[in-house]
Amino acid sequence: MLNYIREAIMAPTTRSSKNNNSNSNSPGQDLKDVEGLSTSREKAAAAPMRGYKVTDNDRTRKYGIGANSLDMLLFKANNKFPLSQLHLYLASDGFEVSDDEYLESLPPQTLFIAAGPDAVITTDADFEFEKMRQQSPLLKVADIFYEFIEKHPEKFRRMITDYELQKQRRVLDNTKAHLSLKAEHMEWFEGGEERFHSKEEAMAMRAQTRVRGYYYKAKEELTRNPLYRQNAKARQVINSVLDQFRYLLIGCDYFSMMFDRRCKQKHDFLQQHQLEGEETDAGSILPSKRLRQVIKEYTKENSILDEWSVALCTDLGDFYCQGSYSENGNCCPMQHTINPYASRENLILFQVWNLDHQIELCRTILPSLVANVEDLVSQPQRNCSLHKKRVVDISVLEYFLEIFSLKNLKLVHIVCHEKVQRTNRSNGRLVCPDCHEFRIVQELMKLQTAS
């Protein structure tokens, strides 16, 4: 019932698929490996030796390895982690290293994961989160809480509805909603927000966590798809799409402004709520590394995501339910509202407010993306529907907006989150070099070289 919480707040941890491979090779295979290594050494004789680190997907062992080519690194890694088809992936983001040129661009002591071609890579971030989840009493309690909700959805709905009615009768004290700093409202930060200096920082991070959850979910679903595992060209396209998603997410700061009342740009639906006399809190966003900053500046200068880089709350921090899917609008007949900035109690309750994909993520958007990737690699002679020129990519920007942005997301109270079959379809398609969104994304990806 609260699948979005597992997707967003409790970002999913990808796990490796186990390979039942023999640890011993035949004598012929050993000879072949030695010959391959000799050829590699001859080709890379002039290249200097560099040190790298290699581990397995479960982080059970870690080795330091010296190599001056990818073939040598693969050969030595296979001696430590014997697999019939060993591949090397970056532990930082899970992407495969497939040529010497890219290997040479990486710094010494880079950590690689040795795994098979079909493994679902556990990145460093995924691994650390899973370890934290296992060790944190708070997150273990959260798991119990989510399990109860999934087993007793109707009972939980009644509990929430009853509480909302009681809250209205008690008229909870909102006199501290305008306070921002930790020193001003200490109890608001207890139990998870202690590391933040202001409420706005904490709420911005909560928005980022939900959006990151959608990225992890999309990555997990796409890399588990048979097309990704069985078709090398499709795998290359999907990896590129995921990489472009990450750049776009950096450009919009993972849509942190959705829950940040400091954001001056508000969602259009807030105009129907006539709220006046609220004070703004224009705090500054902490600077990021150079590349991230360059991406953000480019995204802002070209107004790529401006329309959807808006806040869902008023300047005081009031959020309003946008209504169920069947309402087909931005109006909630039950007039659900909440201000998580007002109290710790409201902040906890805000966790059960969902960002609802109007076009469904797993049933519609991702299958459409995979279908277009399959068409792209199997029918490369196809023409773009708009410009009648040969297609070169899928509409990455359109899929990005449908998965991560308020173009397709509505904030709804849990009672208004309908689990029904939906008929709307994804607008993703194949694009050619003349398509505007293709040119925008390509320019964005060139920033890495330019910086």
Side-chain angles (χ1 to χ4, degrees), residues 55 78 185 200 345 359:
T55 185
N78 201 48
H185 196 175
E200 291 77 14
E345 184 180 37
I359 305 173

Side-chain angles (χ1 to χ4, degrees), residues 54-239:
V54 181
T55 185
D56 60 344
N57 219 355
D58 296 325
R59 309 303 197 275
T60 59
R61 293 168 292 163
K62 185 183 294 184
Y63 296 98
I65 293 178
N68 60 4
S69 70
L70 180 60
D71 287 341
M72 183 182 294
L73 184 58
L74 285 167
F75 178 82
K76 291 186 176 181
N78 201 48
N79 287 336
K80 303 297 183 181
F81 302 98
L83 294 172
S84 59
Q85 298 183 52
L86 184 138
H87 293 244
L88 291 177
Y89 305 86
L90 290 175
S92 57
D93 57 19
F95 288 104
E96 182 178 357
V97 178
S98 57
D99 57 57
D100 286 318
E101 288 76 11
Y102 187 71
L103 179 67
E104 291 173 2
S105 71
L106 299 173
Q109 303 307 318
T110 296
L111 178 63
F112 297 98
I113 294 174
D118 295 334
V120 178
I121 302 303
T122 304
T123 66
D124 285 342
D126 295 335
F127 184 79
E128 290 301 323
F129 182 86
E130 178 63 17
K131 185 166 66 174
M132 180 182 70
R133 192 179 71 85
Q134 295 296 333
Q135 296 175 354
S136 170
L138 179 62
L139 293 179
K140 288 181 179 179
V141 171
D143 282 344
I144 297 173
F145 176 66
Y146 302 142
E147 183 179 355
F148 170 80
I149 294 174
E150 290 182 344
K151 289 183 178 180
H152 310 283
E154 293 303 322
K155 183 176 180 179
F156 183 73
R157 284 175 184 267
R158 289 194 300 270
M159 291 168 58
I160 292 295
T161 302
D162 291 343
Y163 175 80
E164 293 287 346
L165 294 175
Q166 294 174 15
K167 186 181 73 172
Q168 292 175 10
R169 288 195 294 267
R170 292 198 308 264
V171 187
L172 292 178
D173 182 11
N174 284 347
T175 57
K176 294 186 177 181
H178 68 285
L179 300 178
S180 173
L181 300 179
K182 183 177 181 179
E184 299 172 331
H185 196 175
M186 290 290 293
E187 61 269 24
W188 191 91
F189 294 85
E190 295 175 356
E193 273 63 42
E194 292 91 346
R195 67 185 185 278
F196 299 107
H197 299 290
S198 70
K199 295 178 182 179
E200 291 77 14
E201 288 180 11
M203 291 299 294
M205 178 58 71
R206 285 186 174 233
Q208 289 178 327
T209 301
R210 295 199 189 193
V211 172
R212 281 193 176 94
Y214 299 140
Y215 174 79
Y216 291 136
K217 182 65 175 178
K219 178 181 177 181
E220 182 179 26
E221 292 293 325
L222 291 173
T223 55
R224 287 183 184 276
N225 190 278
L227 181 68
Y228 180 90
R229 299 189 174 200
Q230 299 169 8
N231 190 307
K233 291 183 178 179
R235 183 160 57 248
Q236 183 178 6
V237 173
I238 291 174
N239 285 340

Side-chain angles (χ1 to χ4, degrees), residues 247-448:
Y247 267 60
L248 288 165
L249 287 170
I250 290 171
C252 64
D253 198 33
Y254 290 82
F255 289 109
S256 62
M257 71 292 298
M258 283 195 298
F259 296 166
D260 189 349
R261 62 183 179 184
R262 298 173 299 185
C263 178
K264 295 181 180 180
Q265 300 299 321
K266 306 295 183 182
H267 197 289
D268 290 342
F269 88 97
L270 288 176
Q271 295 177 3
Q272 62 184 302
H273 299 281
Q274 299 178 358
L275 300 172
E276 301 177 355
E278 296 176 351
E279 300 180 0
T280 60
D281 180 9
S284 59
I285 299 176
L286 296 176
S288 58
K289 294 182 180 179
R290 173 172 172 74
L291 178 58
R292 295 175 66 89
Q293 190 62 35
V294 169
I295 294 172
K296 290 179 182 179
E297 290 173 358
Y298 175 86
T299 305
K300 184 177 181 180
E301 289 172 2
N302 292 272
S303 304
I304 298 176
L305 303 169
D306 281 4
E307 184 178 359
W308 310 110
S309 298
V310 297
L312 285 169
C313 61
T314 66
D315 292 337
L316 186 61
D318 292 319
F319 289 83
Y320 298 90
C321 175
Q322 293 180 262
S324 63
Y325 171 77
S326 59
E327 295 294 334
N328 196 27
N330 286 322
C331 179
C332 171
M334 302 182 69
Q335 298 182 341
H336 293 124
T337 181
I338 191 171
N339 189 328
Y341 288 87
S343 66
R344 182 72 189 171
E345 184 180 37
N346 278 11
L347 180 63
I348 295 173
L349 279 176
F350 188 65
Q351 294 182 13
V352 298
W353 281 58
N354 292 0
L355 285 170
D356 183 20
H357 283 91
Q358 301 303 285
I359 305 173
E360 294 180 285
L361 177 60
C362 294
R363 292 181 181 176
T364 306
I365 301 174
L366 297 181
S368 169
L369 190 155
V370 171
N372 274 322
V373 170
E374 186 172 14
D375 288 345
L376 180 65
V377 299
S378 63
Q379 304 177 48
Q381 304 300 322
R382 286 189 59 174
N383 289 332
C384 168
S385 58
L386 293 181
H387 303 100
K388 307 305 178 185
K389 293 188 176 181
R390 184 178 298 179
V391 295
V392 293
D393 203 352
I394 67 171
S395 50
V396 174
L397 187 57
E398 182 61 36
Y399 282 119
F400 173 84
L401 292 174
E402 290 181 352
I403 296 173
F404 303 105
S405 82
L406 295 176
K407 179 179 182 180
N408 187 43
L409 293 170
K410 286 172 60 175
L411 182 68
V412 297
H413 186 280
I414 189 172
V415 174
C416 294
H417 190 194
E418 295 179 336
K419 296 291 185 179
V420 296
Q421 187 70 34
R422 305 182 182 185
T423 58
N424 45 5
R425 296 183 178 181
S426 169
N427 295 309
R429 61 186 182 88
L430 296 175
V431 295
C432 71
D434 286 353
C435 291
H436 178 64
E437 69 169 274
F438 174 79
R439 296 199 302 270
I440 287 178
V441 175
Q442 290 304 303
E443 287 295 325
L444 181 65
M445 297 304 293
K446 290 178 183 178
L447 294 178
Q448 183 176 15

